[in-house]
Amino acid sequence: MASSLNSSNSLYDFVVRDGNGVKGLVDSGLSEVPERYIQPPQERINKLDSKQCDVPPIDLSKLKGPEHDKVVAEIVRAAETVGFFQVVNHGVPVELLESVKDAAHSFFSLPPDKKAVYCKGVSPNPIIKYGTSFAPEKEKVLEWKDYISMGYSSDEDALQYWPNQCKEAALEYLKLSSKIVRNITEILISKLGVEVDDSKIEGLVGVKKVNMNYYPACPNPELTVGVGRHSDMGTITVLLQDGVGGLYVKVEEENDSGKGEWLEIPPIPGALVINVGDTLQILSNGKYKSAEHRVRTTSSQSRVSVPVFTMPTATERIGPFAEVVKKDGLARYREVVWQDYMNNFFGNAHAGKKSLDFARINSA
């Protein structure tokens, strides 16, 4: 099979259009990475070029005790600097996290035709999508990743339409993660000196989806990326890593020049990763940083990760809070309709934090 995929078009059809994904490519007996997956040198991830993040995880259970203010300060500091932090004692049972990872492996071990029923255009529900890479029709180089994306509309729809292999564990994980998101969102907004009601919070985090990402073992990991440089478009993301590792986050320089140092976020058993999305950076007028991140592949074993994305509702208008603009003296972002921002995000290949340019007001 692998020998018949030499041309770029036949490989694209096999992986993308026919729904075989990267896993199908690997299972066909692949011994080296096809050219379509070889990243230019500047996009490759050299483990030696980065250091491990040694910041301890934040204990969310302490928000209910005498150390409340200290924990709030830790959350705010992380959001203002890196935009990424790990949390423990977060309210999601460790047993459920293990079940979620097992469920992801169960789904991706299905035969290709069983996964392909969730491909765009044939999926039983348009907010459930099985796919590969990020925007393969836009990308010059493909990412070494398959995924199933499950949008949430109601418990009933999730249990009816999400894949049987993962629906129950994924639904419970999404619901408990959503509580973490709401709590952290309320903390970060209040620390901006802004008061919002419940309906506004719901408008900012009311759209939810859970993705299961699968990164097959790669014969030449030094040439590929699992996910290219990007920031998440939404408000806050909750991420479950497995023990394999490979997540890197960029610590920006103060002048927002796009330069910075890459940190590897090591897996911590029982912890969840929290990252700030573009929406919060816009709302805070740049005070909070959406985290630019990427994922390395590995030759030794396949990796899964499971993010819960929370986003504004489609018609929500997103712009810097008036109280923050007044304090800063100027708005760094214009107000945009969330649907327009989302269309722009998905209409382009990953390119660092370029997605923010859609809302950015240039000072020149």
Side-chain angles (χ1 to χ4, degrees), residues 135-354:
E137 65 285 351
K138 304 276 185 183
E139 294 163 335
K140 292 178 181 175
V141 183
L142 297 175
E143 298 176 348
W144 196 264
K145 177 192 80 171
D146 299 332
Y147 67 88
I148 177 83
S149 178
M150 296 170 279
Y152 176 82
S153 51
S154 68
D155 289 10
E156 293 74 23
D157 283 352
L159 294 172
Q160 181 175 352
Y161 295 112
W162 291 8
N164 288 332
Q165 294 73 20
C166 54
K167 62 186 180 184
E168 290 176 352
L171 177 59
E172 187 63 17
Y173 168 60
L174 177 141
K175 290 165 75 172
L176 291 175
S177 295
S178 298
K179 293 180 180 178
I180 301 172
V181 167
R182 192 174 183 96
N183 200 6
I184 291 173
T185 302
E186 288 173 352
I187 287 170
L188 291 175
I189 290 177
S190 72
K191 280 300 180 179
L192 292 172
V194 176
E195 288 186 22
V196 293
D197 58 23
D198 283 350
S199 64
K200 179 63 176 178
I201 295 285
E202 186 62 22
L204 296 176
V205 299
V207 176
K208 309 172 184 74
K209 67 177 178 179
V210 55
N211 281 19
M212 290 184 163
N213 299 324
Y214 184 82
Y215 307 92
C218 177
N220 309 102
E222 71 283 356
L223 300 178
T224 62
V225 298
V227 180
R229 299 179 297 111
H230 73 289
S231 54
D232 291 349
M233 64 177 178
T235 305
I236 283 180
T237 302
V238 178
L239 176 75
L240 169 62
Q241 293 197 83
D242 65 10
V244 177
L247 174 64
Y248 291 78
V249 177
K250 192 177 196 179
V251 182
E252 293 181 10
E253 292 183 351
E254 285 295 319
N255 59 6
D256 204 21
S257 63
K259 297 178 181 177
E261 178 184 37
W262 287 96
L263 288 179
E264 183 171 9
I265 308 296
I268 297 174
L272 290 168
V273 180
I274 307 294
N275 76 277
V276 171
D278 290 352
T279 299
L280 260 182
Q281 178 157 337
I282 294 168
L283 291 168
S284 68
N285 206 31
K287 185 177 178 68
Y288 300 137
K289 311 293 186 198
S290 66
E292 183 176 344
H293 53 288
R294 59 186 183 176
V295 174
R296 164 176 60 83
T297 59
T298 176
S299 60
S300 57
Q301 55 187 311
S302 298
R303 173 181 185 264
V304 295
S305 68
V306 190
V308 169
F309 299 105
T310 62
M311 295 159 281
T313 51
T315 56
E316 190 76 20
R317 302 187 74 85
I318 302 299
F321 287 120
E323 297 93 330
V324 182
V325 173
K326 185 177 180 182
K327 198 182 305 178
D328 293 348
L330 81 166
R332 296 183 174 90
Y333 303 93
R334 65 186 177 92
E335 188 178 75
V336 296
V337 176
W338 172 248
Q339 183 70 57
D340 296 338
Y341 191 88
M342 188 165 54
N343 291 345
N344 176 73
F345 184 89
F346 283 117
N348 295 282
H350 282 150
K353 293 181 67 170
K354 198 169 172 52

